[in-house]
Amino acid sequence: MEKSFQLIADALQAKFPEGTVEHGQTTAHAYIPVQVYIRRLEEVATGEWSWRLVAEPTYYEKDAAMIVRGELTIMDSTRSGIGAARYIREEPVRNVTSFKNAVSSAESDAIRNACDKFLMGWQDLAPYRDWSNNPGVQLNGTSVTSTGGVTSILCTRCRKPITNEDNLFLQVNDIRIPYCLEHVPKHLKKNK
C-alpha cells in the first residue's frame, strides 16, 4: 500500500520518546541529535526520502568555520537546510581530522535544519523555544506553552478535543497521531 504524504508528515511530526531532547550548556541550547531524525525518516518514509548537498562545503579560513547547504526531499516535497561548525586551525598545517569532523558536524546541523522545516521535533523542542507561545503555532492540534503545558489536544480529522477515553485507546494501540475514536483509521486499529 502506497503511503500518502500527509500520513508520512503526520508520523514524522509525532512526538519523540521521552528523553530524546538533549541539552548543551544551558536549556536554551536544547536539541535533538541528527541520528534521531534519520531514524524517524527511515522508520516512517523508507525509500521515500533523500538528502543531498546542493553545493560544496564552504569554509571561512578567517573564522575557522564551515558552512554546508543541503536539501531533504520526502516524496515530492523538498526543504533546504543550512548548517555550520567550527574547526581547529593549526598553523602551518590545517588539522585534517578537525576539518573533516567540521564538515560532518555542519552537515548534521543542515539535516536537522531541514527536518525542522518539515515540523519534525517541534512538539519536543517547543518547551525550550520562544515561538511556542505564539497562538499561530499548533502541533497536530496541540498548542504547547513555554512551560511545557499542553492546552487541548484536537482530533486530526474533526478538530474536536480528545477525551480521556480517546487518549487511552490511542495509548493502548500505540497510535501517536491524535484521533478521536470515531476517526481512527482502520489500518491503525489493532485486532484485540
Side-chain angles (χ1 to χ4, degrees), residues 21-62:
V21 175
E22 295 186 9
H23 302 279
Q25 296 172 340
T26 68
T27 56
H29 293 106
Y31 68 96
I32 296 172
V34 70
Q35 294 84 356
V36 174
Y37 287 115
I38 291 171
R39 174 76 183 223
R40 173 69 58 88
L41 286 164
E42 276 299 309
E43 287 175 347
V44 172
T46 306
E48 301 288 345
W49 75 278
S50 65
W51 168 257
R52 73 180 189 94
L53 296 180
V54 294
E56 290 295 317
T58 304
Y59 72 96
Y60 298 91
E61 187 72 32
K62 180 181 173 192

Side-chain angles (χ1 to χ4, degrees), residues 5-31:
F5 178 77
Q6 190 58 54
L7 278 175
I8 289 174
D10 287 346
L12 289 174
Q13 295 166 16
K15 194 166 178 56
F16 286 108
E18 192 70 33
T20 296
V21 175
E22 295 186 9
H23 302 279
Q25 296 172 340
T26 68
T27 56
H29 293 106
Y31 68 96

Side-chain angles (χ1 to χ4, degrees), residues 14 17 32 47 54 60 82 90-92 97 99 110 112-113 117 121 145 163 188:
I32 296 172
V54 294
Y60 298 91
I82 187 168
E90 293 180 356
E91 298 297 337
T97 301
F99 196 77
R112 276 193 300 269
N113 184 247
K117 293 175 183 171
T145 66
T163 66
L188 293 179

